[in-house]
Amino acid sequence: MNEYHNIETDLILEVSEGLTKNGKTLEGVYFKEEKIENGRVHVTDVEIRTELGARQMGKPKGKYITLESGLLKENCGIDVCAETLSKYIKKLLPHKWNRILAVGLGNRELTVDSLGPKVIDNLFMTYQDMEEGLCGLAPGVMAQTGMETADIIKGVIDQTKPDAVIVIDALAARSIHRLGTTIQLTNTGITPGSGVGNHRNSLTESSLGIPVLAIGVPMIVRTSTIVYDTFSSIIEILQSKHTLRETGKRISEFTVQEKYELIQELLTPEVGNLCVTPKDIDELVFYIGKTVSRGINKAVYE
Amino acid sequence: MNEYHNIETDLILEVSEGLTKNGKTLEGVYFKEEKIENGRVHVTDVEIRTELGARQMGKPKGKYITLESGLLKENCGIDVCAETLSKYIKKLLPHKWNRILAVGLGNRELTVDSLGPKVIDNLFMTYQDMEEGLCGLAPGVMAQTGMETADIIKGVIDQTKPDAVIVIDALAARSIHRLGTTIQLTNTGITPGSGVGNHRNSLTESSLGIPVLAIGVPMIVRTSTIVYDTFSSIIEILQSKHTLRETGKRISEFTVQEKYELIQELLTPEVGNLCVTPKDIDELVFYIGKTVSRGINKAVYE
Amino acid sequence: MNEYHNIETDLILEVSEGLTKNGKTLEGVYFKEEKIENGRVHVTDVEIRTELGARQMGKPKGKYITLESGLLKENCGIDVCAETLSKYIKKLLPHKWNRILAVGLGNRELTVDSLGPKVIDNLFMTYQDMEEGLCGLAPGVMAQTGMETADIIKGVIDQTKPDAVIVIDALAARSIHRLGTTIQLTNTGITPGSGVGNHRNSLTESSLGIPVLAIGVPMIVRTSTIVYDTFSSIIEILQSKHTLRETGKRISEFTVQEKYELIQELLTPEVGNLCVTPKDIDELVFYIGKTVSRGINKAVYE
Amino acid sequence: MNEYHNIETDLILEVSEGLTKNGKTLEGVYFKEEKIENGRVHVTDVEIRTELGARQMGKPKGKYITLESGLLKENCGIDVCAETLSKYIKKLLPHKWNRILAVGLGNRELTVDSLGPKVIDNLFMTYQDMEEGLCGLAPGVMAQTGMETADIIKGVIDQTKPDAVIVIDALAARSIHRLGTTIQLTNTGITPGSGVGNHRNSLTESSLGIPVLAIGVPMIVRTSTIVYDTFSSIIEILQSKHTLRETGKRISEFTVQEKYELIQELLTPEVGNLCVTPKDIDELVFYIGKTVSRGINKAVYE
């Protein structure tokens, strides 16, 4: 049992942070890191190659590429980040394709969940005229449509026969440091219960019948995370203070189960419905939406 | 040949106005008018029952119900108009159904073409949870999606198996008096080349396999119409003035062909790309969008 | 020194909660509570009558009326809440006036800070035509205008000579229970450093020269609050558990200064820039914006 | 009496077109034309130097610079047009200044009238922090504020003491060719009855006490213009056709008064409330808003 599974995260890096502390490695999970663009963009390649690795990580087998950059928050970073992003999108897309369907998940009307639709708004769609390139839509969430988003996408795939799907979604991170600094790409698609909106069935190659590239961007941290982090920090601080060391030590010796119960007591249902975002989330969605759509446009048309 | 076909209109009443002047009747086309809500809403029932009638009208066989009311422009008219609308929606829907798919045609980003998406935003979707009621989406236009809207709708119908479709769209009228005063319902669906955006293939019972109720609201008048109307008015005015009667008479004797050519000379391509709308079109879309969505909600759930 | 001053709150009830625990009363501060609308709306009247009271509370002398209701979050609660609100607005406005200037503080482009501008959008302005009634504007925040908001308001007052000002603003609460459930009215105006945006100089009767009624609605909780609350809860939980009582007791014996320092260590600058909101903050702003504007319209015109 | 005064236009070039046909010159009015940016931008400098010139033109004495370019409609034209615009803004601003107040006139909620507010949204405001540069606001229209826009601006000027004002507004043109292709700058400010919204008192150096640079962009053509143009075209066409020459000649001999009356008969109040715009006016406002704000930012900060 992995204590980090208690706190939901959609980000592979946050899963692995918990598991590979102190130089520990995981069988069947491969990591590669590099800094590009003069060190301004940090890229981490994670590949889960075995079922054991998948079980340990709690994530499906496949490739996960994470871009991290402070530039993502800034207007002037759009070009650099889009360029980098397009390179890795190409890497995860199938080698040959004529048409790609882009799907922007999420609710256009709720700022924290609007990244997907915003990206679709800025894509350059050509399929119908040119017989190749991008087509796409923002299907809305179930509260808006009364339908499973997966059903809408399956119907559209049946009719338009694309060779691959790119799904774009806002994610929930564990760490507030992730907000506005991270983009995750994976060829494992999207699995139930993830995302800001928790709004869909599985969207994977096995459910849709064609390759699925998921592009996810953390936009919120669940309030429960702040509670958990505060708890952890208190222990660390207590241990670092001479006079309090005994107290801190005592709490730090709690079993995972004890810690979990303590945190559950702190988490009322009201806390659970809230989320932590930057006050300027509206701007963040605008900038990152531009970066992601530009990255997809470049990957597809250049 | 019918001179009124030169000028496009999506409204059955505008077609018939040209054809039934001077008490003339059309074989196979039946009319019924009534005033309801203390005379504040005018309802015209048109039914085209024969192929001959359809040819004469240039519109497919079926039922057309037109609501006209000055209340549509006003916040305080929403309840009355929605109530009336819901009655006629029920009349044109199949007698038995479990699920209805609502489709808001048009481009959310262009005010004049945004009525359909706005209506979808205000519908109460329940299908997934309750196994009956409304589901729906605003698929966007081809420039946004790279796909035929009809293909998206067909795909969604295949997956979700509704019993009928309601399509909502902004229309183009011939007469400026129609803007913000008219709603047209028809069970003939929507045919290519109509609407503000001209953006779709046929959406009819024969193309989609289930009954289609189309709700259309005129939001623009094509600029060409203003040119045509000015031309007609000039003739009338000339004829009514003693000293100019001869001149007016001469022009009024033009053949349809001559008139058509004259107007074509007045219509440059630039004029064709423009449209005539109320300055406060944003408000109009807001009020009428509320009325239509409330009318559908009532028809489906009450 | 009051430990609750460490954590910012704009709400008088949250200040008093800390100070009047265990039946303690404060000299010069008067409380009155009542339930109205069949118990669905809870009204608390607080009046700070003396300088001593003001010092104890850390808030200026004057009247504070707080409405609390679960109805505020709901579409169907708009009428009831607006009616109640209008009654208390009338109570705090001067007895005689011809013109009132409404000012919607905040940034229209950031959802969490957009309540003020949204309220202005829905007010019924008549002053210019009718020589009496409401006039108003949403001046924007300093980042948008490059000017002190107080300067803009002073300039407008000089030119239009209203008899009173109503300022509407989004507030920060200490408790997440306040989000979407509370409206605070006060005749003490708005003081520097309050509000979601922290964006203005003092707006009070003494700075503007005419009576100021401030209507504030909590829209965010500062992340620091969650940290603080978690810390407090941990102590409580520790004390309530037999095996941990000693540890909890030790921490609870920290001086205010020690606690403050501990919390500061938990609060990185990144945490400080974040805020806690409901995910559907966009809807909350919509509903409460309608309620407040309807309440003002009623108070002024009925 | 000048027949062109019958049809309102805010554009100096449209006034002069009517008056300087056939090589006619106007005393006291000076013209200079040049093509820049490889012929892609057409600049016309008009200066009305005498009272006689002002009377003939029906416009106040001062400088008018008009930029015309097809690039204005396009995303890729923003940089070129903003660069050109900034050059001419500098030319019309006072030589020395510390602070400039930018005012975006118009109604943010009505697309056709929203250019001014959109420009303000994209300006870089610095005054408060840096003691020099831009400050600005979008005061809204009288229907929104209940106040004369001129009063709000005067109040703000009194408090913030800028050295000049830049006013941005959407204009009405006579010719549909102007929509999305023209920007007019003038140091004569803005006079009553102009603009899309017709919403304000005089904003001139004499009314505000500091230099006023007005930047206007035609966004609508009044429907009356289309009627007038159709009328004129019919005459031309009639005269050019052999068999109709007599008829056309007769109409063309109408006095100005007769023509005016004829057109008034064509113009019902309903027509007057409508306007002619491109269907994609939302996009046009977006692109030109960016161009104008970038032009001002460059003029002020580079």
Side-chain angles (χ1 to χ4, degrees):
Chain A
M1 184 192 174
N2 170 6
E3 68 176 293
Y4 284 85
H5 287 183
N6 295 331
I7 299 290
E8 295 163 272
T9 176
D10 300 322
L11 297 176
I12 195 79
L13 286 197
E14 294 190 334
V15 174
S16 60
E17 271 161 19
L19 297 170
T20 60
K21 269 200 253 188
N22 313 318
K24 205 181 133 193
T25 60
L26 291 168
E27 217 189 293
V29 185
Y30 296 80
F31 288 86
K32 203 182 85 193
E33 293 185 53
E34 63 179 320
K35 295 219 182 226
I36 60 177
E37 296 289 340
N38 298 320
R40 290 178 299 172
V41 184
H42 188 183
V43 183
T44 311
D45 239 305
V46 177
E47 187 170 354
I48 303 182
R49 295 196 189 154
T50 65
E51 285 304 331
L52 176 62
R55 261 202 315 282
Q56 287 173 308
M57 296 285 283
K59 294 276 171 194
K61 275 199 300 182
K63 292 177 183 172
Y64 301 81
I65 295 170
T66 309
L67 309 184
E68 294 170 273
S69 175
L71 290 175
L72 276 172
K73 281 183 188 171
E74 291 166 40
N75 194 11
C76 61
I78 293 177
D79 281 332
V80 168
C81 296
E83 184 65 41
T84 309
L85 182 60
S86 79
K87 220 171 72 185
Y88 290 96
I89 290 173
K90 277 182 188 163
K91 220 168 152 179
L92 289 190
L93 279 180
H95 289 298
K96 281 193 53 162
W97 50 263
N98 285 314
R99 301 156 196 162
I100 290 175
L101 174 68
V103 179
L105 298 175
N107 183 343
R108 181 188 290 283
E109 306 297 321
L110 299 186
T111 311
V112 292
D113 198 23
S114 65
L115 182 77
K118 292 283 169 62
V119 169
I120 296 297
D121 288 350
N122 289 300
L123 291 180
F124 182 44
M125 306 295 186
T126 57
Y127 154 40
Q128 196 67 31
D129 301 336
M130 298 169 54
E131 286 298 303
E132 61 179 28
L134 272 180
C135 57
L137 85 169
V141 300
M142 201 198 286
Q144 296 174 310
T145 65
M147 297 180 278
E148 286 287 355
T149 303
D151 285 345
I152 299 175
I153 298 172
K154 276 175 213 159
V156 170
I157 289 174
D158 281 356
Q159 291 286 327
T160 62
K161 312 285 183 212
D163 303 300
V165 181
I166 299 177
V167 237
I168 304 102
D169 200 8
L171 302 181
R174 259 190 82 350
S175 160
I176 55 174
H177 307 275
R178 294 287 172 202
L179 300 182
T181 64
T182 302
I183 298 179
Q184 174 177 284
L185 290 82
T186 174
N187 64 1
T188 62
I190 283 187
T191 44
S194 56
V196 167
N198 265 359
H199 38 62
R200 54 251 177 317
N201 279 350
S202 177
L203 298 174
T204 62
E205 178 157 3
S206 81
S207 71
L208 298 180
I210 51 175
V212 178
L213 164 55
I215 302 178
V217 183
M219 283 293 166
I220 63 164
V221 166
R222 298 216 170 77
T223 322
S224 52
T225 305
I226 301 283
V227 173
Y228 190 94
D229 286 355
T230 302
F231 183 79
S232 306
S233 302
I234 287 173
I235 296 173
E236 275 175 41
I237 290 168
L238 290 177
Q239 287 183 302
S240 70
K241 286 195 191 303
H242 181 69
T243 59
L244 301 170
R245 196 165 301 155
E246 270 314 298
T247 312
K249 190 152 167 288
R250 176 62 196 95
I251 302 180
S252 73
E253 284 162 357
F254 287 1
T255 63
V256 167
Q257 190 58 28
E258 281 177 312
K259 278 186 199 170
Y260 181 77
E261 281 168 15
L262 208 64
I263 287 166
Q264 287 313 304
E265 292 194 50
L266 296 172
L267 288 176
T268 62
E270 266 158 326
V271 172
N273 288 329
L274 299 170
C275 66
V276 179
T277 65
K279 272 189 223 166
D280 58 355
I281 177 76
D282 309 68
E283 284 176 14
L284 205 66
V285 169
F286 181 81
Y287 289 137
I288 299 191
K290 286 222 159 183
T291 300
V292 174
S293 52
R294 205 172 291 179
I296 297 174
N297 281 332
K298 268 174 186 291
V300 169
Y301 297 110
E302 283 178 17
Chain B
M1 184 192 175
N2 169 4
E3 68 177 293
Y4 284 83
H5 288 182
N6 294 330
I7 299 292
E8 295 164 271
T9 176
D10 299 324
L11 298 175
I12 195 81
L13 286 197
E14 294 190 333
V15 173
S16 60
E17 272 162 18
L19 297 171
T20 59
K21 266 198 256 190
N22 312 319
K24 208 180 133 193
T25 60
L26 290 168
E27 216 189 293
V29 185
Y30 296 80
F31 289 85
K32 201 182 86 193
E33 292 185 55
E34 61 180 322
K35 297 220 180 224
I36 59 176
E37 296 290 341
N38 297 323
R40 289 177 301 171
V41 184
H42 188 183
V43 183
T44 312
D45 239 304
V46 177
E47 188 170 353
I48 303 181
R49 295 196 188 152
T50 65
E51 284 305 330
L52 176 63
R55 260 202 317 281
Q56 285 173 309
M57 297 284 284
K59 295 276 170 193
K61 276 200 296 184
K63 291 176 184 171
Y64 301 81
I65 294 170
T66 309
L67 309 183
E68 296 170 272
S69 176
L71 290 174
L72 276 172
K73 280 182 186 170
E74 291 166 39
N75 195 11
C76 60
I78 293 177
D79 282 330
V80 168
C81 295
E83 184 65 43
T84 308
L85 183 59
S86 80
K87 219 171 72 186
Y88 290 97
I89 290 173
K90 276 182 189 163
K91 219 168 152 177
L92 290 190
L93 279 180
H95 289 298
K96 283 192 51 159
W97 51 263
N98 286 314
R99 301 154 196 164
I100 289 175
L101 174 69
V103 178
L105 299 175
N107 183 343
R108 182 186 289 285
E109 306 297 322
L110 299 187
T111 311
V112 291
D113 198 23
S114 65
L115 181 78
K118 292 281 169 62
V119 168
I120 296 298
D121 289 351
N122 289 301
L123 291 180
F124 182 43
M125 307 295 187
T126 58
Y127 155 40
Q128 197 67 31
D129 300 337
M130 299 169 53
E131 284 299 303
E132 61 179 29
L134 272 181
C135 57
L137 85 168
V141 300
M142 201 198 285
Q144 295 174 311
T145 65
M147 298 179 277
E148 286 287 353
T149 302
D151 286 345
I152 299 175
I153 297 171
K154 277 175 212 159
V156 170
I157 289 174
D158 280 356
Q159 291 287 326
T160 62
K161 312 285 184 213
D163 302 301
V165 182
I166 298 177
V167 238
I168 304 101
D169 199 9
L171 303 180
R174 259 190 78 356
S175 160
I176 54 175
H177 307 274
R178 295 286 172 202
L179 301 181
T181 63
T182 303
I183 298 180
Q184 174 176 283
L185 291 82
T186 173
N187 65 0
T188 61
I190 283 188
T191 43
S194 57
V196 168
N198 265 357
H199 36 63
R200 54 257 180 313
N201 280 350
S202 177
L203 297 174
T204 61
E205 180 157 1
S206 80
S207 71
L208 298 179
I210 50 175
V212 178
L213 164 55
I215 301 177
V217 183
M219 283 294 168
I220 64 164
V221 166
R222 298 214 170 79
T223 321
S224 51
T225 305
I226 301 283
V227 172
Y228 189 92
D229 286 354
T230 302
F231 183 78
S232 306
S233 303
I234 286 174
I235 296 173
E236 273 174 44
I237 290 169
L238 291 178
Q239 288 183 301
S240 71
K241 285 192 193 303
H242 181 67
T243 57
L244 300 170
R245 194 166 296 154
E246 269 312 297
T247 312
K249 190 152 169 285
R250 175 65 196 94
I251 302 180
S252 72
E253 285 162 355
F254 287 2
T255 64
V256 166
Q257 191 57 28
E258 279 177 316
K259 279 186 196 169
Y260 182 76
E261 281 170 15
L262 208 64
I263 287 165
Q264 288 313 303
E265 290 193 53
L266 296 172
L267 289 174
T268 62
E270 268 159 326
V271 172
N273 288 329
L274 299 169
C275 66
V276 179
T277 66
K279 272 190 223 167
D280 57 355
I281 177 77
D282 309 67
E283 285 177 13
L284 204 66
V285 169
F286 182 80
Y287 289 136
I288 299 192
K290 287 223 157 181
T291 299
V292 173
S293 53
R294 204 171 291 178
I296 297 174
N297 282 332
K298 270 174 184 290
V300 169
Y301 297 109
E302 284 177 18
Chain C
M1 184 192 175
N2 170 5
E3 67 176 295
Y4 284 84
H5 287 183
N6 294 329
I7 299 292
E8 295 163 90
T9 176
D10 299 323
L11 298 175
I12 194 81
L13 286 197
E14 294 190 334
V15 174
S16 60
E17 273 161 18
L19 297 171
T20 60
K21 271 199 253 193
N22 312 319
K24 206 180 132 192
T25 59
L26 291 168
E27 216 189 293
V29 184
Y30 296 79
F31 288 86
K32 200 182 86 194
E33 292 185 56
E34 62 179 321
K35 295 217 184 228
I36 59 174
E37 297 289 340
N38 297 321
R40 290 178 300 173
V41 184
H42 188 182
V43 183
T44 312
D45 240 305
V46 177
E47 187 170 354
I48 304 182
R49 295 196 190 152
T50 64
E51 284 305 330
L52 175 63
R55 260 202 317 281
Q56 285 172 309
M57 298 285 283
K59 295 276 170 194
K61 275 200 298 185
K63 292 177 183 173
Y64 301 80
I65 294 170
T66 309
L67 309 184
E68 295 171 273
S69 175
L71 291 174
L72 276 173
K73 279 181 186 171
E74 292 165 39
N75 194 10
C76 59
I78 293 178
D79 282 332
V80 168
C81 295
E83 184 64 42
T84 309
L85 183 60
S86 78
K87 219 172 71 186
Y88 291 96
I89 290 173
K90 277 182 189 163
K91 220 168 149 176
L92 290 190
L93 280 180
H95 290 296
K96 281 191 53 159
W97 50 263
N98 285 314
R99 301 153 195 167
I100 290 175
L101 174 69
V103 178
L105 298 175
N107 183 345
R108 180 187 290 284
E109 306 296 322
L110 300 186
T111 311
V112 292
D113 198 22
S114 64
L115 181 77
K118 292 282 167 63
V119 169
I120 296 298
D121 289 349
N122 289 300
L123 291 181
F124 182 44
M125 307 293 188
T126 57
Y127 155 39
Q128 197 67 31
D129 300 336
M130 296 167 55
E131 285 299 305
E132 61 179 27
L134 272 180
C135 57
L137 87 168
V141 300
M142 202 198 285
Q144 296 174 310
T145 64
M147 298 180 276
E148 287 288 355
T149 302
D151 285 344
I152 299 175
I153 297 170
K154 276 175 213 158
V156 170
I157 289 173
D158 281 355
Q159 291 287 327
T160 62
K161 314 282 184 215
D163 303 300
V165 182
I166 299 177
V167 235
I168 304 102
D169 199 10
L171 301 181
R174 259 190 76 2
S175 160
I176 55 174
H177 307 274
R178 295 284 172 205
L179 301 181
T181 63
T182 302
I183 298 179
Q184 173 176 284
L185 290 82
T186 173
N187 65 0
T188 62
I190 284 187
T191 43
S194 58
V196 168
N198 265 358
H199 37 64
R200 55 253 174 322
N201 279 350
S202 176
L203 298 174
T204 61
E205 180 158 0
S206 81
S207 72
L208 298 181
I210 50 177
V212 178
L213 164 56
I215 302 178
V217 182
M219 283 294 166
I220 65 165
V221 166
R222 297 215 171 77
T223 321
S224 52
T225 305
I226 301 283
V227 173
Y228 189 93
D229 285 355
T230 302
F231 182 80
S232 306
S233 302
I234 286 174
I235 296 173
E236 275 174 41
I237 290 168
L238 290 178
Q239 287 183 302
S240 70
K241 286 193 193 302
H242 181 68
T243 57
L244 300 171
R245 195 164 300 151
E246 269 313 299
T247 311
K249 189 150 168 289
R250 176 63 195 92
I251 302 181
S252 70
E253 284 163 356
F254 287 0
T255 63
V256 167
Q257 190 59 27
E258 279 176 314
K259 278 187 199 169
Y260 182 76
E261 281 170 15
L262 209 62
I263 287 166
Q264 287 313 303
E265 290 194 52
L266 297 171
L267 289 174
T268 61
E270 268 158 325
V271 172
N273 288 329
L274 299 169
C275 66
V276 179
T277 65
K279 272 189 222 166
D280 56 355
I281 176 77
D282 309 68
E283 285 177 13
L284 205 66
V285 169
F286 182 81
Y287 289 136
I288 300 191
K290 285 221 159 184
T291 300
V292 174
S293 52
R294 205 170 293 178
I296 297 174
N297 282 331
K298 270 174 186 291
V300 169
Y301 297 110
E302 285 178 16
Chain D
M1 184 192 173
N2 169 7
E3 68 177 296
Y4 284 84
H5 286 182
N6 295 329
I7 300 292
E8 295 164 90
T9 176
D10 299 324
L11 298 175
I12 194 81
L13 286 197
E14 294 191 332
V15 173
S16 59
E17 272 161 19
L19 297 172
T20 60
K21 270 199 249 187
N22 312 319
K24 206 181 133 192
T25 59
L26 291 167
E27 216 189 292
V29 185
Y30 295 80
F31 289 86
K32 201 181 85 192
E33 293 185 53
E34 63 180 320
K35 295 217 181 227
I36 60 176
E37 296 291 339
N38 295 321
R40 290 179 300 171
V41 184
H42 188 184
V43 183
T44 311
D45 239 305
V46 177
E47 188 171 354
I48 303 181
R49 295 196 189 152
T50 64
E51 284 304 330
L52 175 63
R55 260 201 316 280
Q56 285 172 310
M57 297 286 282
K59 294 276 171 194
K61 274 200 298 183
K63 290 177 184 173
Y64 301 82
I65 294 170
T66 309
L67 309 183
E68 294 171 274
S69 175
L71 291 174
L72 275 173
K73 281 181 186 172
E74 292 166 38
N75 194 10
C76 61
I78 293 177
D79 282 333
V80 168
C81 295
E83 184 64 42
T84 309
L85 182 60
S86 80
K87 220 172 70 185
Y88 290 96
I89 290 172
K90 277 183 189 163
K91 221 168 150 176
L92 290 190
L93 280 179
H95 290 296
K96 284 193 54 163
W97 50 263
N98 286 315
R99 302 155 195 163
I100 290 175
L101 173 68
V103 178
L105 299 176
N107 182 344
R108 181 186 290 283
E109 306 296 322
L110 299 186
T111 311
V112 292
D113 198 24
S114 65
L115 182 78
K118 292 283 169 60
V119 168
I120 296 298
D121 288 350
N122 289 300
L123 291 180
F124 183 44
M125 306 295 186
T126 57
Y127 154 42
Q128 197 68 29
D129 301 337
M130 297 169 54
E131 286 297 303
E132 62 179 29
L134 272 180
C135 57
L137 86 167
V141 300
M142 202 198 285
Q144 295 174 312
T145 64
M147 297 179 277
E148 287 287 353
T149 303
D151 285 345
I152 299 175
I153 297 172
K154 276 175 214 159
V156 169
I157 289 174
D158 280 356
Q159 290 287 326
T160 62
K161 313 283 183 214
D163 303 299
V165 182
I166 299 178
V167 235
I168 304 101
D169 199 8
L171 302 181
R174 262 191 73 2
S175 160
I176 56 176
H177 307 273
R178 295 284 172 203
L179 300 181
T181 63
T182 302
I183 298 178
Q184 173 176 286
L185 291 82
T186 174
N187 65 0
T188 61
I190 283 187
T191 43
S194 55
V196 167
N198 264 359
H199 38 61
R200 54 253 176 318
N201 280 350
S202 176
L203 297 173
T204 61
E205 181 158 1
S206 80
S207 70
L208 298 180
I210 50 176
V212 178
L213 165 55
I215 302 179
V217 183
M219 283 293 166
I220 64 163
V221 166
R222 298 216 169 78
T223 320
S224 52
T225 306
I226 301 283
V227 173
Y228 189 93
D229 286 354
T230 302
F231 184 79
S232 306
S233 302
I234 286 174
I235 297 173
E236 274 174 42
I237 290 169
L238 290 178
Q239 288 183 301
S240 71
K241 285 194 194 301
H242 181 68
T243 59
L244 302 170
R245 195 165 298 154
E246 269 313 300
T247 311
K249 191 154 168 284
R250 176 64 194 90
I251 302 179
S252 71
E253 284 163 356
F254 288 0
T255 63
V256 166
Q257 189 59 27
E258 279 176 314
K259 278 185 198 172
Y260 182 76
E261 281 169 14
L262 208 63
I263 287 166
Q264 287 314 303
E265 291 194 50
L266 296 172
L267 289 175
T268 62
E270 267 158 326
V271 172
N273 287 330
L274 300 169
C275 66
V276 179
T277 65
K279 274 190 222 167
D280 57 355
I281 177 78
D282 308 68
E283 286 177 12
L284 204 67
V285 169
F286 182 81
Y287 289 137
I288 299 191
K290 286 222 159 182
T291 300
V292 173
S293 53
R294 203 171 292 176
I296 297 174
N297 282 331
K298 269 174 186 290
V300 169
Y301 297 110
E302 283 177 18

